[in-house]
Amino acid sequence: MDMEYLDDDDVMSDYDDDDNDQLADSDEDELDKDEERIQNPSTIRNPDGTYRCPFCPGQKKQDYRFNEVTKHAEDQAKGSSRKGPKERRRHQMLLQRLMREDLQPDKPVRVIKVEPRETPKIVEDRILWPPVAIVKNLQTGLTYDANQKKEILGGVTREQIESTFKSYGPRKVEVLYNYKGHTGTALIHFEENAKGWEAASKLDKTYAQSELGREGYLKGRGREKDEWFAWAARERDLEAEGKKGPIGSALHRKHKGTKSLAEVLEQQDAVKRQQEREEKRVQERAFMRLSEKLQRTEDKLKEMGEFGHGLKEETRGRVSGGTRAHSSDDGEEDEESNEGGGANGEGNGGAAAPAGGEER
């Protein structure tokens, strides 16, 4: 309900003004205090949003709705009320105070209940690992086997199947036989990586769209037209084929568990990281061996350099010593020569003296 806001003067004009003449000064002071007190919204509004009359504390009802407390204030403020002038003035003040915005009832909030939407569960497609596809309804017929010397069931050859599924990049095609011969079924094996998983999945979707997948085969569509049916093998095929039939025995023998594409990619990444770590270790070991070899070579060259320096010094010392020895020998020879010359001089001098005497 929309409320029409009134000014304080409009509210007061609806009631008798004679009360003002009948109030004593003490009453006026008390009313001023009452007016100041009800300025606090909590004196009128309860914590739960209901209202009470602060001037009628003895009343049992203290949880008015807004329209009820407004009606109460109006009734008590009228001149016809049994209340005295002071009580009527108090309820006039209360009515004025209720008209202010801070005491207006809160507008009801429309709560729209939103049901939580369930997030659709994403079911990961899982196929047998290593990835393999089943091919059924291959044409067969009696043919004479020279080795067995009897007629057996023959049929579509491995080469014909490889040619048909060449675009999917099969790693191997395996035609299944039993004691009677060709069973009209074959297995297409794919690479054990994400590429092989995606190829098997693509084959599965392509044949399913043409109603030549597993569901189409179970419904019997196209069998009379000799259509080939093919799909990626899953866990359900292990259960359906059992372990004794040609398909079941082959699947149980060669395939263990299933994998999603995410698991295959994660495994490939793990293998790649392992290879990178191994390559890093190999490089580090090669670097260490090379460093050790260079260090040994450097030490050897250093040792050879020290040896060469010592040999050079030794050679220089020998040469220097030999030079000093040769010089000493030459000096001795000179001294001997000088001594010999002196002796001859003395001899000559001695012989000459007598001669000189004779001449005299």
Side-chain angles (χ1 to χ4, degrees):
M1 177 180 66
D2 296 335
M3 298 297 299
E4 181 179 355
Y5 294 95
L6 302 176
D7 295 336
D8 293 347
D9 295 339
D10 294 335
V11 174
M12 294 300 295
S13 63
D14 292 339
Y15 302 94
D16 295 335
D17 294 332
D18 296 339
D19 291 342
N20 295 329
D21 299 335
Q22 300 176 15
L23 295 173
D25 293 339
S26 58
D27 292 334
E28 291 289 350
D29 294 338
E30 188 176 351
L31 289 172
D32 290 340
K33 292 179 182 179
D34 289 337
E35 185 175 13
E36 183 178 354
R37 180 167 63 91
I38 65 175
Q39 299 309 307
N40 185 350
S42 63
T43 61
I44 302 173
R45 182 151 54 185
N46 298 317
D48 62 356
T50 60
Y51 297 82
R52 66 180 180 275
C53 178
F55 305 122
C56 300
Q59 288 191 356
K60 291 183 180 180
K61 189 171 181 63
Q62 293 294 327
D63 55 350
Y64 292 103
R65 292 195 293 269
F66 181 78
N67 60 335
E68 293 175 341
V69 74
T70 304
K71 181 73 167 51
H72 167 78
E74 289 177 346
D75 292 343
Q76 299 300 319
K78 289 179 180 179
S80 59
S81 173
R82 297 178 181 180
K83 298 286 186 180
K86 185 168 66 174
E87 291 302 319
R88 288 197 294 270
R89 278 285 306 277
R90 281 175 170 171
H91 285 83
Q92 290 172 10
M93 291 188 300
L94 174 61
L95 187 58
Q96 293 177 19
R97 184 67 182 88
L98 287 169
M99 294 301 105
R100 295 183 187 174
E101 188 175 356
D102 61 342
L103 280 177
Q104 293 295 305
D106 296 330
K107 293 183 179 181
V109 178
R110 185 182 178 187
V111 179
I112 302 175
K113 188 177 181 180
V114 179
E115 295 293 337
R117 298 178 63 182
E118 292 186 3
T119 303
K121 295 181 180 179
I122 300 176
V123 180
E124 288 186 313
D125 189 14
R126 305 181 67 85
I127 62 178
L128 288 188
W129 193 256
V132 59
I134 299 172
V135 184
K136 285 195 173 186
N137 207 41
L138 299 174
Q139 292 77 29
T140 61
L142 289 174
T143 182
Y144 183 78
D145 189 331
N147 294 327
Q148 300 186 41
K149 296 181 179 180
K150 66 176 183 179
E151 288 186 337
I152 63 171
L153 284 174
V156 178
T157 64
R158 178 174 56 83
E159 290 76 12
Q160 290 174 308
I161 299 173
E162 286 179 348
S163 176
T164 301
F165 294 96
K166 182 179 180 181
S167 60
Y168 299 100
R171 178 178 61 84
K172 175 186 175 183
V173 171
E174 179 182 4
V175 180
L176 301 180
Y177 293 86
N178 59 15
Y179 69 96
K180 293 182 179 180
H182 200 302
T183 61
T185 58
L187 297 179
I188 302 177
H189 301 275
F190 298 91
E191 297 292 338
E192 297 184 37
N193 51 34
K195 184 178 179 180
W197 194 101
E198 290 174 333
S201 179
K202 181 180 179 182
L203 180 150
D204 185 270
K205 293 176 181 178
T206 301
Y207 273 73
Q209 289 173 357
S210 302
E211 296 187 348
L212 295 174
R214 187 175 188 271
E215 298 300 323
Y217 178 79
L218 294 177
K219 292 177 181 179
R221 296 176 180 174
R223 293 194 191 183
E224 67 282 357
K225 298 180 181 179
D226 294 333
E227 296 280 7
W228 291 7
F229 294 82
W231 61 89
R234 296 177 173 82
E235 189 73 29
R236 62 193 180 190
D237 294 296
L238 287 177
E239 299 172 359
E241 297 293 340
K243 295 183 179 181
K244 295 183 179 180
I247 296 178
S249 60
L251 294 180
H252 281 280
R253 184 175 65 253
K254 300 178 181 179
H255 302 272
K256 304 296 182 183
T258 61
K259 286 187 180 182
S260 66
L261 180 58
E263 290 173 341
V264 176
L265 292 172
E266 183 179 355
Q267 184 177 11
Q268 286 187 185
D269 290 340
V271 171
K272 183 179 179 181
R273 290 193 297 269
Q274 179 64 28
Q275 291 175 345
E276 290 175 350
R277 287 194 294 268
E278 185 62 28
E279 290 176 359
K280 185 178 180 181
R281 284 196 292 268
V282 171
Q283 292 175 357
E284 289 176 350
R285 286 196 294 267
F287 178 77
M288 290 178 62
R289 287 196 294 268
L290 180 60
S291 298
E292 291 173 357
K293 185 176 181 180
L294 291 174
Q295 185 64 44
R296 288 195 298 269
T297 303
E298 184 179 351
D299 293 342
K300 188 174 182 180
L301 290 174
K302 184 177 180 181
E303 183 180 347
M304 292 176 63
E306 292 176 352
F307 175 77
H309 179 73
L311 181 62
K312 183 178 180 180
E313 291 297 327
E314 183 180 352
T315 303
R316 183 182 298 172
R318 289 179 180 179
V319 171
S320 177
T323 303
R324 288 196 298 272
H326 182 70
S327 299
S328 176
D329 293 342
D330 291 344
E332 291 176 359
E333 291 178 358
D334 291 342
E335 289 178 0
E336 290 176 358
S337 299
N338 292 334
E339 289 177 357
N344 292 333
E346 290 176 357
N348 293 332
E358 289 179 357
E359 288 179 359
R360 284 193 302 267

